[in-house]
Amino acid sequence: MRIYELARQLGVPSKDILLLVEQMGIGGKTASSSVPPAYLSQIRAHFSGEEVAAPAAEPPAEKKAAKEKKPKAAAPKEEPPAPAEAEEEATFVEGEAVKLKAPVTVAQFAAALDTDADNVISAAEGLGETVGEGEPIAPELATLIGEQWGYEVEVEVPEVPPEEAAPEEAEELEAVEAELEEGEEAAEPEEAAAAVTVEEAPVKAKPMRVVPRRTAPPDAPARPPVVTVLGHVDHGKTTLLDAIRETKVTEQEPGEITQHIGAYQVEVKDKLITFIDTPGHEAFTAMRARGAQVTDIAVLVVAADDGVMPQTVEAIDHARAAGVPIIAAINKVDRPDASAEAAKRQLVDRGLVPEEWGGETVCVAISALQGQGVEDLLDMIGLVAEMRELRALRDKPAEGVVLEAELDKRRGSLATLLVQEGVLRVGDSVVAGPVSGKVRAMIDDRGKRLKEAGPSTPVQVIGLSDVPEASELFRVVAGDREARALAGGHRDAQREAELEAAIPGSMLELSQLFAEGQAKILNLILKADAQGTVEAIESALVQMGSGEVRANILHTGVGTITESDVSLAAATKPTIIVGFQVGTDTQARRLAGDEHVEMRLYEVIYDLLDDVRRTMEGMLDAVYEEVIVGKAEVRALFRSSRLGAIAGCYVLEGRVTRSSEVRVRRGGDVVHEGKISSLRHHQDDASEMAQGFECGILLEEFQDFEVGDIIEAVEQREVRRAVL
């Protein structure tokens, strides 16, 4: 009997039975491991007595400490340290609150939270910051790290005289606050102004921000698991979600491949599970990585007829880097050529050993198309989630990550957000990097409007001022004014960093190479229907180059190709506008015709990448190689008072043409290179002589033939070149 089945019979958590069988020394690595029949009665008796209702091998404090000693755990103990333990003069602990007097170093901050400085440095790196042990830690960063670990961090900073808001700004703030449907109570203007003055200037947003894994205190409410479906293209990831959701998402995808991140929440046996579907095409590596970083459990879909493929390996690496458990779903087992055992052997080669073979990887054989094994897979997901004890704080402003974003003609910016902590409500003021806004509406994956969304809930939000970057962190702030101030500061910092780094490192370098004749540039303007898709295509195009030709992405954006895009292309000719699953407005089409700007629109990413690759190959300089097309042996010599020496030849192989370049070899050495002056067959001029025929050959500027010489006919042929 498996451990989870026994747990259901006894009405106890699977983790308690796992702990007991480990103490008994009878194995059992996961909840789906089997218990030897001889021990079943002993285990049942163990849980029947009142004094052993919840067996534990160690006190809760010791168990908590043991968990934190695991290699991948970077968070400190979740118990707040006693006041006496905080020895640093600038810090003290009071209940769950940690108060700091700025400036405070990383070492002092770590001591106040009763942890090592290395843990603080690792947590800062997860938030995109780099700090040293002796360096001061920014108040904003200290607050974020403290919230992740369950502490309320308060930072006392030197008072800065608040700047008074301009009258027009105050009027705008009052007008926006009056629009709130829920009657939100806004912060006082003085408090809002003071809050803005203590904010640190945001750091430049990075293309692939690592989304931090959030921790919560043990008494926090439970939350649904976030499950990411990973795997190779066409191995059945979306079909599996179709079987779970009983929808037909795959039929709506051009080319039958998923080209965005989709987030869905489903109810399985009275419990919610959040699923994230990620594309399998190789261009979407960044999107798959982002999916793995926000997930709790990775479901690796492997087709039983194909086995482990390149994107399967990448998915395994992403899941391991994120430190999440992997459940292998061996799909398409209903096909005649399917072999689940062969797929498992390939997984073993990648370090994923199935449970039945003595490992820790849960493997479930399924047919997503037929619905076979899907219930078993859901049971395994529930068991793994139960073992992880997933929790999140709810009584705090919402925080999370942007999974996807796009620009809709009618509704404006649409952002798919995954709430990780707190509760996101309609009317909340949100900031996501350089983008801010107010939540006007929230929609779930089935189109239903929501008033609030708790932890692990994916929602599509309407009301942001612009399209945020996929993988950007978002959080709810006190009001619109603070959100706009934070977003504006982020934009300024990002703009400065781009001017300092991007221009000298890319455009200037490419222009210099172009001027020196060392490289050719294919200027592109990229527009797509979603921010994550823009990111993935841009990454693929930038990598698609060589030392001679490179793609230079002048501008990227989300939404319809507009007149401003065409104007930019016209000003930087030759530039091609590439659109992916977007249209063009009337003014843009008219201007493109007038300015002779080329626009290319695509529905499937394969076509886009192949077409751009062919364009870049056409820009490469022609390279020729020498090919010997024929050989003739000199067998007799004839003298002509008018023409000179004529070689009587026999064509040994290939063909010799009148226009051929020739090379005369004697004993392996080349004695002459030149052109044919005359080629004759008997008394007639010939343009070509094939193998097995005799002919007379007269060369330009060469008379010193000898019997036995070999005349090689040579042609220069263009070599087909390719870019990566």
Side-chain angles (χ1 to χ4, degrees), residues 631-636 647-653 656 689-697 709-711:
K631 291 183 180 180
E633 181 184 9
V634 179
R635 295 188 173 181
C649 303
Y650 178 81
V651 181
L652 299 175
E653 57 184 68
V656 178
M689 296 302 299
Q691 179 179 343
F693 285 87
E694 294 180 345
C695 61
I697 297 178
D709 287 349
I710 300 297
I711 300 177

Side-chain angles (χ1 to χ4, degrees), residues 489-509:
H490 189 108
R491 285 193 300 271
D492 293 342
Q494 187 174 5
R495 190 177 300 113
E496 290 179 7
E498 289 175 350
L499 289 174
E500 292 176 0
I503 294 179
S506 58
M507 288 289 291
L508 189 59
E509 178 184 356

Side-chain angles (χ1 to χ4, degrees), residues 52-222:
V52 291
E58 52 193 1
E62 295 178 8
K63 183 187 295 185
K64 185 183 297 182
K67 286 182 180 179
E68 291 167 0
K69 290 179 181 179
K70 293 183 180 180
K72 293 183 180 178
K77 287 189 282 187
E78 298 184 342
E79 282 186 335
E85 295 176 353
E87 299 178 358
E88 294 295 332
E89 183 177 353
T91 64
F92 64 91
V93 179
E94 181 178 319
E96 284 292 327
V98 177
K99 296 183 179 180
L100 305 174
K101 294 182 179 180
V104 61
T105 66
V106 171
Q108 292 173 328
F109 180 69
L113 270 61
D114 192 21
T115 186
D116 295 330
D118 291 341
N119 288 336
V120 177
I121 293 172
S122 299
E125 290 176 351
L127 292 169
E129 297 277 6
T130 302
V131 293
E133 184 173 351
E135 298 178 0
I137 186 169
E140 170 96 3
L141 181 59
T143 302
L144 289 176
I145 293 175
E147 289 178 354
Q148 287 189 25
W149 292 345
Y151 294 95
E152 181 183 350
V153 177
E154 299 179 5
V155 182
E156 295 184 13
V157 298
E159 292 187 4
V160 179
E163 297 179 0
E164 293 187 1
E168 56 270 22
E169 291 184 356
E171 293 176 3
E172 181 183 359
L173 177 62
E174 293 175 0
V176 172
E177 291 171 348
E179 293 176 3
L180 284 177
E181 300 173 358
E182 301 296 329
E184 175 191 1
E185 203 170 308
E188 293 294 328
E190 294 82 0
E191 295 177 355
V196 174
T197 59
V198 301
E199 288 290 341
E200 294 292 321
V203 180
K204 176 183 179 292
K206 299 182 179 180
M208 264 305 301
R209 171 175 293 130
V210 177
V211 179
R213 187 164 301 285
R214 299 173 182 268
T215 58
D219 58 346

